[in-house]
Amino acid sequence: VASGPNAASPHHEPGDRVVEQGDCVVVDFGGRHGGYFSDTTRTFHVGEPGAEFAAAYDVLRAAQEAGVAAAGPGVPAQEVDRAARAVIDGAGYGEYFVHRTGHSIDRDLHGSGPHCDDYETRDDRELVEGVGFSVEPGIYLPGVFGVRSEVNMYWGPDGARVTPAEPQRELIVRA
């Protein structure tokens, strides 16, 4: 859990900071079932967000949708990253997207399969049936806030399955 300016780091280490009115809160969590992992990230806001935060969140959602749409069997994993990154770059947030779009997920949280990455490793391995992976673009404005939303995808014999089936579309705002 990272809040306020701490949410501007994609891998924030927990500390003593107390969540305050006006903060964004990024929560990264997962589970394990039958030996397989899940990985989920959601962004919340305490009170009504400002225009800059709302705009960044809208770009994030569009980037995630572009990444999900780009994924498919036989597609190089880095193409998922390129699709999401193009949306974020096009909106002027490119320098604030400081990690890959996703990673494989299997019996290891960051599995051995292809990673949706054209940022660090430029993974050109193809997505194949039976491979699980995340699509989790993010925007991180240093010292200000961060936004990330994550879905897991799996290609089975009947096509794509996205979990959750209905990803977070609207920003969750609580007083």
Side-chain angles (χ1 to χ4, degrees), residues 59-71 79-88 101 135 137 153 169:
V59 170
L60 169 79
R61 290 297 307 134
Q64 185 179 60
E65 289 173 9
V68 167
E79 293 300 326
V80 175
D81 185 82
R82 285 181 183 155
R85 198 166 296 280
V87 172
I88 292 172
T101 295
V135 179
M153 294 186 74
R169 302 255 182 245

Side-chain angles (χ1 to χ4, degrees), residues 41 60 89 126 147 166:
T41 306
L60 169 79
D89 286 346
E126 292 181 357
V147 294
E166 183 57 36

Side-chain angles (χ1 to χ4, degrees), residues 8-174:
S9 171
H11 300 107
H12 169 70
E13 293 293 324
D16 295 344
R17 188 176 191 287
V18 175
V19 176
E20 300 175 1
Q21 185 71 19
D23 277 353
C24 68
V25 180
V26 178
V27 181
D28 190 355
F29 57 98
R32 193 170 176 181
H33 178 72
Y36 290 89
F37 282 88
S38 68
D39 192 13
T40 303
T41 306
R42 292 291 180 264
T43 299
F44 305 86
H45 203 277
V46 181
E48 286 301 317
E52 182 179 31
F53 184 89
Y57 187 82
D58 288 345
V59 170
L60 169 79
R61 290 297 307 134
Q64 185 179 60
E65 289 173 9
V68 167
V75 172
Q78 65 188 356
E79 293 300 326
V80 175
D81 185 82
R82 285 181 183 155
R85 198 166 296 280
V87 172
I88 292 172
D89 286 346
Y93 291 105
E95 69 184 284
Y96 305 113
F97 183 12
V98 294
H99 63 79
R100 62 186 174 212
T101 295
H103 55 85
S104 66
I105 302 172
D106 51 35
R107 291 184 178 273
D108 180 15
L109 180 57
H110 294 130
S112 59
H115 298 304
C116 302
D117 187 358
D118 190 46
Y119 176 72
E120 298 166 325
T121 63
R122 293 175 170 62
D123 197 332
D124 62 357
R125 292 179 289 172
E126 292 181 357
L127 300 173
V128 296
E129 185 177 311
V131 171
F133 57 96
S134 67
V135 179
E136 53 177 305
I139 298 170
Y140 308 91
L141 299 177
V144 183
F145 64 76
V147 294
R148 185 167 80 234
S149 180
E150 180 175 11
V151 295
N152 296 178
M153 294 186 74
Y154 172 80
W155 290 96
D158 298 327
R161 185 170 65 193
V162 177
T163 58
E166 183 57 36
Q168 177 187 357
R169 302 255 182 245
E170 302 300 319
L171 177 65
I172 300 169
V173 177
R174 296 291 182 252

